[in-house]
Amino acid sequence: MIRQFELVERVRAYDPGADEDALNRAYVFSMKAHGSQERASGDPYFSHPLEVADILTKMKLDSASIVTALLHDTVEDTDATLDQIEQLFGKEIARLVDGVTKLSRIELQSDQSKHAENFRKLVLAMSEDIRVLLVKLADRLHNMQTLHYIRSPEKRKRIALETMEIYAPLAERMGMQQMKDELEDLAFAELNPEARDSITQRLKFLREQGGDMVGRIIDELKRTLAEGGLQALIVGREKSPYSIWRKMQRKNIGFEQLSDIMAFRIAVADVGQCYQALGILHSRYSMVPGRFKDYISTPKPNAYRSLHTGVIGPERQRIEIQIRTREMHEVAEFGVAAHWKYKQDGSRQPARQVEGRQYRWLRELLDILEKASGPEEFLEHTKLEMFQDQVFCFTPKGDLIALPRGATPVDFAYAVHSEVGDTCVGAKINGRIMPLRSELHNGDQVEIVTSRAQTPSPAWERFVVSGKARAHIRRFIRTQQRAQYLALGRAILQKAFRQEGHEFSEKALDTALKKFKCDSVDDLYAIVGEGIQTGREVINTVFPGSKPGAKGDKVVPLGPHRGRQRKSKDLAVPITGLIPGMAVHFAGCCHPLPGDRIVGIVTTGKGVTIHTIDCDTLESFADSPERWLDVAWEVDSGGEDGHVGRIHVVIANEPGSLGNLTTVIGKAGGNITNLKITNRSIDFFEMMIDVEVTDLRHLTNIIAALRASPLINSVERARG
């Protein structure tokens, strides 16, 4: 355990102007606060904040960060308060400590909620001061180094998984490669010890077989560069076991097929010498195709800059070479922390003045935080946002946009700006109009086509992969769904009042709010529209003693094909203007169209599903009359919105018959959305075709046109 004077000396070694008094007071305060507390290892608890502070001194962080490290657990695990810390150490330290402190004293519903809320608070705190995250990462690193002392296997696994999913990607986004590698490897040792041991044994065998091969390769690379007139610092580094395992998994290859187990780093004076070194090496050694990457001209989002190349190098070994300047190397190892380092003269370079690409991801996390409905959803979207495998695409102006692998033009649109994403209607990829669900690849140039009339589609959520896109789409769906449920619930209650012969008024509903635990009438509308409560239950509460069907409303279904007694249209709930897929769903069994006689079935949590009055599925709801709802199309319900009608076609097995069928449908203004062959023989094919039409008359016209074709044997509207 590092002693008090040693810690102060370490900080003074790189920062002669460090606040010694604050460091000494923090050391003593933390030691007294933690008192006789012990860790799982049996060591005094105070050893933990001390080790965290030691990790930060190796990054050469300012004295405020070191003081925060010493105090970071005092508020959470001792009787110390933030007010005490503010009085003794000032507002800046209190703010930093508060950012790192977990919300352990807040009662939350579950461990998942607690974890998500802690992470949400961390993101908010680090958005104001990135040092919060630096202290948190050092805290997590020491906890992982001592993870094996925890007895519970479930707790060890949970902590390791959390480290792999959240903290290692955060370190990577911060550009802190060294810390990321160590966190991943420690988590890997807990989550998959057999795989790690296997890779470690193979690496040990290679080292024994190769002897001092690394040294010989470095010597030859130095000679090669010297002959080209370049002096450079060269180091060899072995890939971490987790990096090797992940690459084997991702590329589905064996250990023997890996070409970059050893990476050699060449540090030169300036950018010009980087490209000069690359030219010397490529002229001397054969380059491995597809292994060259230029992160100097297009840096990674975390500000990482370097040239990567693979060559058949000295001793005919396939090796990876990374070429960078010394400044780039420092940023590559320590990331954002490198900007907090002190110059030789002791002047500071605070990170808050180094705004750039590496902070874009943090702003995007804050955007997700604003759109997410709760901590768990925020955590889910954040995991997506920090997904490590990335593709780099360009805007038409040449700006670089980094996205998770598998991203689509919709993800790209939201990465450009949330408004661009919300109004996206189409995309050009490398000059060609492509579907919005197309997968983007490295180097694609993407142009987004927008329209003010467009809104996010619920279908987008099925194929977007970035957290920002998903958070925006879900928020839109939530607000739209509530608006739809409100409109539907209001219409259902108005109908229920008319059935009972009462005049509808919101004031009458106030008496029902308490029973249904609603804060407002709008909340009551929403739960009725969503199907959580029925209009009949609300009526019974507002008018106690009323009987179902008191005014002659025959609500009990008499069987699907015999139908129900249709009420007058003023008692039917209109469904126009309700977006399908939100409060209203059109049944896939009967595909109702404007013009059909329809009935609604209220489904808890989904709103209303619309069926045709003769749908066979209605038989299963015969015993639940309270779930039946009279609904009606309004006069203009066909409109311009497409509805899907399904037809069953028997077609002759002759050349040109399928072309004839699609031509007839196209000329009649229909659009085929799906086609499935259900039966085939030598003479005939049977198929089910989904056609987008405006209403029942439109579908009937298409069926008539198809029946007139000599190649089409029969056409019927499909049921079920």
Side-chain angles (χ1 to χ4, degrees):
M1 196 162 71
I2 185 173
R3 286 175 290 184
Q4 185 174 345
F5 77 91
E6 289 176 325
L7 179 67
V8 174
E9 287 303 314
R10 284 189 191 181
V11 178
R12 286 196 60 197
Y14 60 82
D15 177 19
D19 189 344
E20 285 185 52
D21 180 52
L23 289 167
N24 283 317
R25 282 187 291 115
Y27 189 104
V28 173
F29 182 88
S30 180
M31 184 167 62
K32 285 182 177 178
H34 288 294
S36 59
Q37 291 176 347
E38 289 186 353
R39 286 174 63 79
S41 61
D43 293 332
Y45 193 94
F46 176 59
S47 65
H48 168 64
L50 208 51
E51 290 294 336
V52 174
D54 189 35
I55 290 168
L56 295 179
T57 61
K58 290 168 185 170
M59 298 183 196
K60 298 185 168 62
L61 291 199
D62 64 336
S63 53
S65 302
I66 309 300
V67 169
T68 302
L70 290 169
L71 301 172
H72 79 273
D73 273 340
T74 53
V75 174
E76 183 181 337
D77 295 327
T78 75
D79 295 332
T81 64
L82 274 175
D83 289 338
Q84 276 182 288
I85 288 174
E86 187 174 330
Q87 287 170 10
L88 292 169
F89 301 98
K91 285 186 177 180
E92 182 186 22
I93 301 297
R95 180 170 47 79
L96 290 171
V97 170
D98 185 40
V100 185
T101 301
K102 291 179 181 176
L103 296 180
S104 55
R105 296 181 185 175
I106 291 183
E107 290 297 323
L108 291 161
Q109 293 177 352
S110 65
D111 287 340
Q112 180 67 12
S113 298
K114 184 176 175 181
H115 168 49
E117 186 63 32
N118 288 335
F119 184 68
R120 175 183 161 280
K121 188 183 181 196
L122 174 66
V123 170
L124 282 172
M126 73 189 189
S127 68
E128 294 178 8
D129 197 322
I130 208 71
R131 288 175 295 179
V132 168
L133 183 54
L134 299 179
V135 176
K136 187 68 184 172
L137 287 173
D139 172 45
R140 178 52 60 121
L141 179 59
H142 184 250
N143 282 334
M144 288 303 296
Q145 288 168 346
T146 56
L147 185 67
H148 56 282
Y149 289 113
I150 294 175
R151 290 181 181 177
S152 167
E154 291 79 16
K155 188 174 182 182
R156 290 200 306 270
K157 187 174 181 181
R158 179 183 60 76
I159 293 170
L161 196 62
E162 186 180 288
T163 300
M164 192 71 88
E165 290 183 344
I166 296 293
Y167 292 100
L170 274 174
E172 195 262 346
R173 280 299 179 98
M174 298 276 284
M176 302 168 73
Q177 190 65 34
Q178 197 173 339
M179 180 168 282
K180 173 212 163 206
D181 287 345
E182 193 171 349
L183 285 171
E184 281 181 342
D185 205 44
L186 289 164
F188 184 44
E190 178 60 41
L191 295 172
N192 199 338
E194 295 85 2
R196 187 181 182 278
D197 289 345
S198 173
I199 292 169
T200 305
Q201 289 300 321
R202 289 190 174 205
L203 289 173
K204 184 181 176 185
F205 176 75
L206 282 182
R207 283 194 294 269
E208 290 171 354
Q209 289 289 103
D212 192 29
M213 185 186 290
V214 173
R216 297 197 301 271
I217 291 174
I218 288 174
D219 290 341
E220 185 171 332
L221 290 175
K222 279 185 177 176
R223 282 197 301 274
T224 303
L225 291 175
E227 288 166 10
L230 262 186
Q231 296 298 319
L233 174 68
I234 305 177
V235 292
R237 187 183 72 91
E238 198 176 72
K239 258 188 182 291
S240 71
Y242 178 70
S243 296
I244 293 171
W245 182 81
R246 194 176 65 187
K247 192 159 194 177
M248 288 165 63
Q249 294 284 312
R250 192 173 68 241
K251 299 205 169 182
N252 197 23
I253 56 177
F255 185 87
E256 297 77 12
Q257 294 168 277
L258 292 172
S259 60
D260 56 352
I261 290 172
M262 286 302 301
F264 293 86
R265 290 173 179 170
I266 298 175
V268 292
D270 55 45
V271 173
Q273 288 188 0
C274 290
Y275 289 98
Q276 185 185 346
L278 181 72
I280 293 168
L281 294 171
H282 278 189
S283 62
R284 175 70 180 270
Y285 305 111
S286 300
M287 178 191 146
V288 178
R291 297 294 302 161
F292 173 66
K293 291 172 185 169
D294 186 345
Y295 293 120
I296 292 180
S297 64
T298 54
K300 288 186 178 183
N302 60 12
Y304 175 85
R305 299 171 72 208
S306 188
L307 297 175
H308 289 199
T309 186
V311 298
I312 308 296
E315 302 190 21
R316 303 300 299 163
Q317 294 291 321
R318 284 179 61 161
I319 58 172
E320 181 180 281
I321 297 174
Q322 300 166 0
I323 307 169
R324 56 182 73 150
T325 65
R326 289 174 177 83
E327 183 188 351
M328 290 175 195
H329 178 69
E330 198 165 79
V331 172
E333 289 302 298
F334 296 105
V336 172
H339 298 300
W340 283 97
K341 288 192 170 187
Y342 289 82
K343 295 178 181 177
Q344 293 302 315
D345 60 1
S347 62
R348 301 186 183 192
Q349 279 186 294
R352 279 167 292 187
Q353 295 174 6
V354 191
E355 269 293 337
R357 259 201 194 103
Q358 66 267 41
Y359 287 107
R360 176 175 180 149
W361 65 273
L362 189 50
R363 288 193 290 272
E364 286 175 353
L365 286 193
L366 290 172
D367 191 46
I368 292 171
L369 181 58
E370 186 184 324
K371 301 294 184 292
S373 62
E376 290 95 335
E377 190 175 307
F378 171 62
L379 185 63
E380 176 197 338
H381 296 331
T382 302
K383 287 177 183 176
L384 288 172
E385 195 63 30
M386 295 195 300
F387 201 68
Q388 293 174 21
D389 294 329
Q390 293 179 315
V391 291
F392 299 94
C393 302
F394 295 91
T395 66
K397 292 182 179 179
D399 295 330
L400 180 72
I401 303 289
L403 296 163
R405 194 162 299 282
T408 64
V410 177
D411 294 294
F412 182 93
Y414 276 107
V416 171
H417 195 279
S418 54
E419 194 173 314
V420 175
D422 287 343
T423 56
C424 167
V425 291
K428 287 183 180 178
I429 302 176
N430 302 322
R432 292 181 60 197
I433 293 178
M434 299 290 283
L436 287 177
R437 63 183 310 125
S438 304
E439 189 172 320
L440 299 176
H441 299 97
N442 270 325
D444 282 347
Q445 187 187 68
V446 185
E447 181 182 348
I448 300 298
V449 182
T450 60
S451 166
R452 288 186 179 180
Q454 175 69 340
T455 56
S457 164
W460 290 356
E461 195 186 347
R462 292 199 290 269
F463 58 77
V464 296
V465 298
S466 66
K468 182 178 181 181
R470 190 159 292 179
H472 273 270
I473 294 163
R474 280 192 182 173
R475 187 187 192 197
F476 172 79
I477 291 172
R478 274 198 309 273
T479 55
Q480 286 297 310
Q481 269 184 331
R482 180 165 173 84
Q484 299 293 310
Y485 286 142
L486 283 174
L488 184 60
R490 183 181 174 87
I492 290 171
L493 288 175
Q494 284 175 336
K495 175 211 165 199
F497 269 72
R498 287 198 299 271
Q499 283 176 338
E500 294 298 321
H502 298 289
E503 186 177 342
F504 176 78
S505 75
E506 290 193 347
K507 192 171 183 182
L509 295 175
D510 289 343
T511 57
L513 297 182
K514 188 174 182 181
K515 179 181 177 182
F516 297 112
K517 297 177 182 176
C518 296
D519 295 328
S520 66
V521 173
D522 279 357
D523 290 341
L524 184 62
Y525 289 152
I527 64 171
V528 172
E530 198 174 344
I532 295 170
Q533 301 294 340
T534 65
R536 165 56 50 192
E537 289 169 326
V538 176
I539 287 292
N540 289 342
T541 303
V542 177
F543 304 107
S546 63
K547 297 177 181 178
K551 304 296 178 184
D553 180 18
K554 298 178 182 177
V555 294
V556 180
L558 304 174
H561 295 290
R562 291 160 63 192
R564 301 167 62 225
Q565 180 172 327
R566 168 60 74 188
K567 302 275 297 172
S568 63
K569 277 204 173 184
D570 67 324
L571 287 180
V573 175
I575 63 167
T576 305
L578 300 178
I579 301 171
M582 290 192 178
V584 167
H585 303 261
F586 293 121
C589 47
C590 53
H591 292 278
L593 297 172
D596 281 322
R597 291 183 66 211
I598 53 174
V599 66
I601 297 296
V602 179
T603 308
T604 304
K606 282 184 69 177
V608 174
T609 303
I610 306 299
H611 294 263
T612 58
I613 201 75
D614 57 351
C615 178
D616 292 338
T617 309
L618 295 177
E619 190 78 69
S620 60
F621 299 106
D623 297 330
S624 309
E626 71 282 354
R627 294 178 62 184
W628 291 62
L629 181 71
D630 271 314
V631 290
W633 307 101
E634 288 189 350
V635 178
D636 61 345
S637 47
E640 297 180 3
D641 294 335
H643 295 264
V644 175
R646 178 170 287 181
I647 55 176
H648 178 261
V649 180
V650 179
I651 188 170
N653 184 10
E654 294 179 20
S657 59
L658 188 60
N660 176 261
L661 179 142
T662 56
T663 301
V664 170
I665 292 174
K667 282 185 176 178
N671 180 39
I672 296 174
T673 59
N674 196 20
L675 185 151
K676 181 182 180 182
I677 297 173
T678 57
N679 197 10
R680 64 185 77 196
S681 64
I682 296 172
D683 300 321
F684 296 101
F685 276 20
E686 292 181 34
M687 55 186 72
M688 300 286 274
I689 303 174
D690 288 346
V691 185
E692 198 174 78
V693 293
T694 53
D695 54 23
L696 180 60
R697 180 180 291 178
H698 188 186
L699 183 67
T700 306
N701 290 341
I702 290 173
I703 290 173
L706 288 170
R707 284 173 177 164
S709 171
L711 291 173
I712 296 170
N713 184 269
S714 69
V715 187
E716 301 291 339
R717 185 174 176 189
R719 298 291 182 187

mmCIF file of all heavy atoms in Angstrom, residues 481-494:
data_model
loop_
_atom_site.group_PDB
_atom_site.id
_atom_site.type_symbol
_atom_site.label_atom_id
_atom_site.label_comp_id
_atom_site.label_asym_id
_atom_site.label_seq_id
_atom_site.Cartn_x
_atom_site.Cartn_y
_atom_site.Cartn_z
ATOM 1 N N GLN A 481 -48.520 6.705 -29.948
ATOM 2 C CA GLN A 481 -49.411 5.693 -29.382
ATOM 3 C C GLN A 481 -50.326 6.307 -28.331
ATOM 4 O O GLN A 481 -51.522 6.023 -28.299
ATOM 5 C CB GLN A 481 -48.597 4.551 -28.752
ATOM 6 C CG GLN A 481 -48.315 3.421 -29.716
ATOM 7 C CD GLN A 481 -47.598 2.274 -29.033
ATOM 8 O OE1 GLN A 481 -46.868 2.473 -28.074
ATOM 9 N NE2 GLN A 481 -47.784 1.072 -29.543
ATOM 10 N N ARG A 482 -49.732 7.148 -27.480
ATOM 11 C CA ARG A 482 -50.570 7.764 -26.436
ATOM 12 C C ARG A 482 -51.649 8.630 -27.074
ATOM 13 O O ARG A 482 -52.806 8.593 -26.656
ATOM 14 C CB ARG A 482 -49.710 8.589 -25.475
ATOM 15 C CG ARG A 482 -50.570 9.245 -24.374
ATOM 16 C CD ARG A 482 -49.759 9.765 -23.229
ATOM 17 N NE ARG A 482 -50.582 10.519 -22.285
ATOM 18 C CZ ARG A 482 -51.303 9.981 -21.311
ATOM 19 N NH1 ARG A 482 -51.315 8.679 -21.149
ATOM 20 N NH2 ARG A 482 -52.018 10.750 -20.490
ATOM 21 N N ALA A 483 -51.283 9.405 -28.100
ATOM 22 C CA ALA A 483 -52.279 10.243 -28.778
ATOM 23 C C ALA A 483 -53.374 9.375 -29.394
ATOM 24 O O ALA A 483 -54.564 9.709 -29.339
ATOM 25 C CB ALA A 483 -51.601 11.092 -29.855
ATOM 26 N N GLN A 484 -52.966 8.237 -29.999
ATOM 27 C CA GLN A 484 -53.941 7.325 -30.611
ATOM 28 C C GLN A 484 -54.843 6.705 -29.543
ATOM 29 O O GLN A 484 -56.065 6.615 -29.723
ATOM 30 C CB GLN A 484 -53.206 6.200 -31.349
ATOM 31 C CG GLN A 484 -52.298 6.660 -32.483
ATOM 32 C CD GLN A 484 -53.090 7.255 -33.637
ATOM 33 O OE1 GLN A 484 -54.037 6.651 -34.107
ATOM 34 N NE2 GLN A 484 -52.713 8.440 -34.056
ATOM 35 N N TYR A 485 -54.240 6.249 -28.427
ATOM 36 C CA TYR A 485 -55.036 5.655 -27.352
ATOM 37 C C TYR A 485 -56.005 6.672 -26.756
ATOM 38 O O TYR A 485 -57.136 6.335 -26.395
ATOM 39 C CB TYR A 485 -54.122 5.101 -26.255
ATOM 40 C CG TYR A 485 -53.399 3.823 -26.613
ATOM 41 C CD1 TYR A 485 -52.084 3.595 -26.199
ATOM 42 C CD2 TYR A 485 -54.023 2.832 -27.362
ATOM 43 C CE1 TYR A 485 -51.415 2.422 -26.528
ATOM 44 C CE2 TYR A 485 -53.365 1.654 -27.694
ATOM 45 C CZ TYR A 485 -52.063 1.454 -27.279
ATOM 46 O OH TYR A 485 -51.414 0.299 -27.603
ATOM 47 N N LEU A 486 -55.558 7.936 -26.640
ATOM 48 C CA LEU A 486 -56.434 8.989 -26.122
ATOM 49 C C LEU A 486 -57.650 9.159 -27.023
ATOM 50 O O LEU A 486 -58.796 9.196 -26.557
ATOM 51 C CB LEU A 486 -55.673 10.320 -26.037
ATOM 52 C CG LEU A 486 -54.691 10.493 -24.874
ATOM 53 C CD1 LEU A 486 -53.916 11.796 -25.029
ATOM 54 C CD2 LEU A 486 -55.432 10.506 -23.546
ATOM 55 N N ALA A 487 -57.396 9.260 -28.349
ATOM 56 C CA ALA A 487 -58.501 9.462 -29.297
ATOM 57 C C ALA A 487 -59.451 8.271 -29.291
ATOM 58 O O ALA A 487 -60.678 8.439 -29.280
ATOM 59 C CB ALA A 487 -57.935 9.689 -30.702
ATOM 60 N N LEU A 488 -58.877 7.065 -29.283
ATOM 61 C CA LEU A 488 -59.698 5.851 -29.303
ATOM 62 C C LEU A 488 -60.494 5.714 -28.002
ATOM 63 O O LEU A 488 -61.689 5.404 -28.013
ATOM 64 C CB LEU A 488 -58.802 4.630 -29.519
ATOM 65 C CG LEU A 488 -59.500 3.278 -29.670
ATOM 66 C CD1 LEU A 488 -60.431 3.285 -30.866
ATOM 67 C CD2 LEU A 488 -58.463 2.167 -29.811
ATOM 68 N N GLY A 489 -59.818 5.940 -26.866
ATOM 69 C CA GLY A 489 -60.488 5.840 -25.566
ATOM 70 C C GLY A 489 -61.619 6.839 -25.428
ATOM 71 O O GLY A 489 -62.708 6.507 -24.918
ATOM 72 N N ARG A 490 -61.403 8.064 -25.915
ATOM 73 C CA ARG A 490 -62.458 9.091 -25.859
ATOM 74 C C ARG A 490 -63.666 8.652 -26.696
ATOM 75 O O ARG A 490 -64.809 8.764 -26.257
ATOM 76 C CB ARG A 490 -61.899 10.418 -26.362
ATOM 77 C CG ARG A 490 -62.892 11.568 -26.279
ATOM 78 C CD ARG A 490 -62.277 12.859 -26.824
ATOM 79 N NE ARG A 490 -63.281 13.911 -26.878
ATOM 80 C CZ ARG A 490 -63.581 14.727 -25.889
ATOM 81 N NH1 ARG A 490 -62.932 14.608 -24.731
ATOM 82 N NH2 ARG A 490 -64.508 15.649 -26.018
ATOM 83 N N ALA A 491 -63.366 8.128 -27.911
ATOM 84 C CA ALA A 491 -64.463 7.685 -28.792
ATOM 85 C C ALA A 491 -65.241 6.527 -28.163
ATOM 86 O O ALA A 491 -66.477 6.474 -28.237
ATOM 87 C CB ALA A 491 -63.888 7.265 -30.147
ATOM 88 N N ILE A 492 -64.526 5.589 -27.528
ATOM 89 C CA ILE A 492 -65.186 4.439 -26.884
ATOM 90 C C ILE A 492 -66.101 4.917 -25.754
ATOM 91 O O ILE A 492 -67.243 4.456 -25.616
ATOM 92 C CB ILE A 492 -64.129 3.447 -26.347
ATOM 93 C CG1 ILE A 492 -63.426 2.732 -27.522
ATOM 94 C CG2 ILE A 492 -64.761 2.415 -25.414
ATOM 95 C CD1 ILE A 492 -62.222 1.896 -27.101
ATOM 96 N N LEU A 493 -65.612 5.859 -24.938
ATOM 97 C CA LEU A 493 -66.420 6.342 -23.812
ATOM 98 C C LEU A 493 -67.613 7.172 -24.288
ATOM 99 O O LEU A 493 -68.703 7.104 -23.709
ATOM 100 C CB LEU A 493 -65.552 7.148 -22.848
ATOM 101 C CG LEU A 493 -64.563 6.306 -22.018
ATOM 102 C CD1 LEU A 493 -63.655 7.207 -21.191
ATOM 103 C CD2 LEU A 493 -65.301 5.335 -21.107
ATOM 104 N N GLN A 494 -67.417 7.961 -25.362
ATOM 105 C CA GLN A 494 -68.542 8.733 -25.893
ATOM 106 C C GLN A 494 -69.644 7.790 -26.380
ATOM 107 O O GLN A 494 -70.831 8.016 -26.152
ATOM 108 C CB GLN A 494 -68.060 9.622 -27.046
ATOM 109 C CG GLN A 494 -67.281 10.842 -26.581
ATOM 110 C CD GLN A 494 -66.718 11.635 -27.735
ATOM 111 O OE1 GLN A 494 -66.513 11.112 -28.828
ATOM 112 N NE2 GLN A 494 -66.455 12.920 -27.491
#
